[in-house]
């Protein structure tokens, strides 16, 4: 099973990266908005994005953030062992451990039986082949 | 060339400490004896459990030839801060140093704790934003206050839409307090959700602040930082729970896998047991056929017939062996 907590932490990191990317995009691509009666500023070096493109990108970035958040919430919902107390977990581990020991014992037994059967079959095959050799010799 | 290189490489490493020569078999035996004596004395003084002592002596007798492992085993048994009581001769170098006192020690410029535990947020000097349901009621109330206060701050700044979130945030803890202890992980999940919502909210606020009065951003950034630390801390606190859950899953998988293996083995054995009588029966039949051939046919023909029979029996044998192998796989 994938480690949900690590997944969650990775998602958190990604979310923060998206935050940074969003702010960075706004910071580098924004247009200048004059306030009140100011003259609109212009900067030749500024990398001002086309208004439509700017809006689209903003939409995309915010959608990404929302999607990432939804993903995070889904992962939180599916965290293992919700509503199970530590004692329950430990009890379950112990019972499973005992069961595993029993099953392993049974497995060893089954393997032993299989080996016995295999030995018996081998002896059978040997005796059959011996008989064939005998018949071939006498005929 | 090679010798020059060797010399260069040898220069890179410092010579061994001069006291390595003291690690003779004799000295190791002496040191072990000293530890044993010391240990027994300590046991009498402190009235420690007998079990420990037995273990120690066992280890001593087992590891007499191997001083190093022995010393490692003894390390925790030695009393702390008794360097002065160490013997004066060279055996002193064979004994592990006493454990440093206090709850922490320094290593490579970092401070480490002897006890392997996760420090709480309080110990790290970070404000804890979520409810700690394991702790007592007063603390929980305190934290509720903090959350409520925070939400109030946010409400002032934020719009309607976000107020819905904040209401959720405030209402949830009250619901949780009425729940039972066995649902602590459920509470934790809710706390986690709250923190993530709070994180989003804080980000929105940060954007708002930056767009209106950029000089105020450090405070908001600090709040986001605290929320993040809280989230990570909460996640890491959840780890033991997940580890147990993973262990349960692994055990279950192993049990089912072993059961399946047993079933397969049994099925294989059963198949072989069912087929063997059939095969034996066929062989018997063939033998009878062969006898009838012997009686009926002339020697000339007999030879060729015999050969055929031998090959047919051979192929039967091969088929039987194949069956066996398949069944046993």
């Amino acid at each position: 099973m994938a480690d949900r907590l690590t997944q969650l932490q990775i998602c958190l990191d990604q979310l923060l990266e998206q935050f940074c990317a969003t702010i960075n995009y706004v910071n580098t691509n924004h247009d200048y908005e004059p306030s009140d009666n100011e003259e609109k500023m212009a900067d030749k070096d500024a990398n001002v994005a086309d208004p439509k493109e700017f809006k689209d990108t903003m939409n995309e970035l915010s959608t990404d953030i929302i999607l990432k958040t939804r993903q995070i919430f889904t992962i939180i919902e599916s965290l293992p062992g919700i509503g199970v107390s530590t004692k329950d977990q430990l009890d379950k581990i112990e019972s499973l451990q005992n069961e595993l020991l029993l099953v392993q014992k049974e497995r060893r037994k089954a393997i032993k039986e299989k080996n016995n059967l295999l030995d018996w079959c081998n002896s059978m095959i040997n005796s059959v082949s011996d008989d064939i050799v005998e018949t071939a010799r006498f005929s | 060339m090679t010798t020059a290189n060797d010399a260069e490489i040898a220069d890179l490493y410092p010579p061994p400490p001069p006291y390595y020569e003291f690690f003779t078999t004799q000295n190791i035996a002496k040191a072990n004896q000293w530890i044993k004596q010391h240990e027994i004395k300590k046991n009498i003084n402190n009235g420690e459990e007998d079990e420990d002592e037995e273990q120690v002596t066992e280890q001593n007798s087992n590891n007499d030839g191997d001083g190093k492992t022995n010393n490692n085993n003894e390390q925790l048994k030695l009393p702390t801060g008794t360097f002065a009581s160490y013997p004066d001769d060279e055996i002193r170098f064979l004994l592990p140093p006493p454990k440093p006192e206090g709850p922490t020690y320094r290593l490579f410029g970092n401070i480490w704790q002897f006890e392997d535990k996760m420090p709480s947020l309080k110990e790290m000097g970070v404000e804890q934003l979520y409810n700690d349901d394991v702790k007592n009621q007063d603390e929980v109330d305190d934290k509720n206050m903090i959350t409520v206060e925070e939400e109030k701050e946010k409400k002032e700044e934020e719009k309607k839409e976000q107020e819905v979130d904040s209401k959720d945030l405030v209402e949830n803890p009250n619901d949780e307090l009425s729940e039972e202890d066995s649902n602590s992980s459920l509470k934790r999940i809710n706390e986690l959700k709250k923190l993530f919502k709070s994180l989003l909210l804080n980000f929105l606020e940060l954007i708002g602040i930056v767009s209106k009065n950029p000089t105020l951003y450090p405070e908001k950034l600090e709040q986001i930082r605290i929320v993040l630390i809280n989230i990570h801390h909460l996640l890491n606190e959840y780890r033991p729970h997940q580890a147990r859950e993973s262990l349960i899953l692994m055990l279950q998988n192993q049990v089912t896998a072993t059961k399946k293996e047993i079933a397969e083995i049994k099925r294989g054995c059963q198949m072989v047991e069912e087929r063997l009588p059939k095969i034996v029966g066929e062989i018997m039949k063939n033998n009878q056929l062969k006898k009838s051939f012997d009686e009926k046919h002339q020697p000339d023909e007999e030879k060729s017939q015999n050969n055929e029979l031998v090959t047919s029996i051979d192929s039967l044998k091969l088929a039987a062996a194949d069956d066996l192998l398949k069944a046993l796989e």
Side-chain angles (χ1 to χ4, degrees), chain A residues 2-52:
Chain A
D3 186 347
R4 293 256 159 72
L5 281 180
T6 312
Q7 209 183 344
L8 206 51
Q9 279 172 337
I10 290 170
C11 278
L12 180 59
D13 290 347
Q14 286 168 343
L15 184 67
L16 291 181
E17 270 169 27
Q18 287 177 350
F19 285 174
C20 286
T22 312
I23 292 177
N24 186 44
Y25 180 77
V26 177
N27 188 33
T28 51
N29 292 291
H30 68 90
D31 199 358
Y32 295 96
E33 202 67 42
S35 62
D36 300 334
N37 299 322
E38 264 181 345
E39 203 177 314
K40 189 181 174 185
M41 270 181 68
D43 189 349
K44 259 184 274 170
D45 298 328
N47 183 22
V48 177
D50 177 64
K52 190 183 172 295

Side-chain angles (χ1 to χ4, degrees), chain A residues 3 77 80-81 83 89 118 120, chain B residues 193 238 242 244-245 276 328:
Chain A
D3 186 347
E77 287 289 345
Q89 284 182 321
L118 192 63
W120 186 67
Chain B
K193 281 186 193 166
Y238 194 81
Q242 163 164 305
R244 281 190 290 271
E245 205 61 33
L276 270 178
L328 290 174

Side-chain angles (χ1 to χ4, degrees), chain B residues 100-128:
Chain B
E101 288 175 32
T104 57
Y105 63 96
R106 289 178 70 89
L107 182 71
F108 298 126
N110 279 334
I111 293 174
W112 302 83
Q113 288 202 325
F114 285 117
E115 208 184 327
D116 190 17
K117 60 159 187 176
M118 213 169 113
S120 69
L121 282 173
K122 237 183 206 170
E123 279 166 1
M124 290 194 292
V126 180
E127 187 185 8
Q128 186 170 332

Side-chain angles (χ1 to χ4, degrees), chain B residues 274-311:
Chain B
E274 275 170 11
R275 280 193 194 178
L276 270 178
K278 268 191 219 161
I279 294 166
V280 172
E282 298 246 342
I283 291 170
M284 297 292 272
K285 232 202 265 169
N286 267 312
N287 277 343
Q288 277 171 2
L289 263 178
K290 187 183 164 268
K291 265 182 198 163
S292 62
F293 270 127
D294 283 352
E295 284 160 12
K296 276 182 191 168
H297 293 272
Q298 299 296 319
D300 280 357
E301 289 170 42
E302 202 181 294
K303 230 178 187 177
S304 60
Q305 292 285 353
N306 248 338
N307 281 343
E308 269 175 40
L309 254 177
V310 168
T311 43

Side-chain angles (χ1 to χ4, degrees), chain B residues 20 166 213 225 239 241 280 282 289 300 325:
Chain B
Y20 83 96
S166 323
N213 192 353
R225 198 180 75 90
R239 275 197 186 274
H241 196 78
V280 172
E282 298 246 342
L289 263 178
D300 280 357
L325 284 175

Side-chain angles (χ1 to χ4, degrees), chain B residues 32-162:
Chain B
N32 284 336
Q33 209 177 2
W34 187 88
I35 290 171
K36 216 189 276 180
Q37 280 172 357
H38 206 92
E39 195 57 40
I40 287 163
K41 228 188 265 170
K42 190 185 145 208
N43 280 349
I44 292 165
N45 288 343
N46 300 352
E48 249 184 41
E49 290 168 34
D50 285 350
E51 254 185 355
D52 278 359
E53 195 192 331
E54 273 171 26
Q55 274 180 358
V56 171
T57 37
E58 244 180 46
Q59 281 164 1
N60 275 340
S61 54
N62 285 343
N63 295 334
D64 257 355
D66 192 353
K68 206 181 163 195
T69 38
N70 203 344
N71 281 349
N72 279 342
N73 287 339
E74 302 302 339
Q75 194 153 13
L76 293 172
K77 307 273 180 191
L78 284 173
T80 52
T82 50
F83 234 155
S85 68
Y86 274 35
D88 282 334
D89 52 357
E90 66 265 19
I91 294 171
R92 183 185 194 115
F93 293 107
L94 275 71
L95 298 170
K99 187 183 158 190
E101 288 175 32
T104 57
Y105 63 96
R106 289 178 70 89
L107 182 71
F108 298 126
N110 279 334
I111 293 174
W112 302 83
Q113 288 202 325
F114 285 117
E115 208 184 327
D116 190 17
K117 60 159 187 176
M118 213 169 113
S120 69
L121 282 173
K122 237 183 206 170
E123 279 166 1
M124 290 194 292
V126 180
E127 187 185 8
Q128 186 170 332
L129 298 177
Y130 57 88
N131 283 338
D132 206 347
D133 37 67
V134 190
K135 300 273 167 63
N136 60 43
Q137 196 72 24
D138 295 340
E139 272 183 344
V140 173
D141 284 340
D142 281 350
K143 265 140 216 164
N144 265 345
M145 290 291 285
I146 291 169
T147 343
V148 173
E149 270 172 20
E150 265 231 344
E151 296 320 316
K152 272 182 190 162
E153 275 178 27
K154 280 168 193 165
K155 271 183 191 170
E156 286 166 15
E157 295 172 5
E158 290 303 316
K159 303 164 206 161
K160 257 187 196 170
E161 182 190 6
Q162 285 144 3

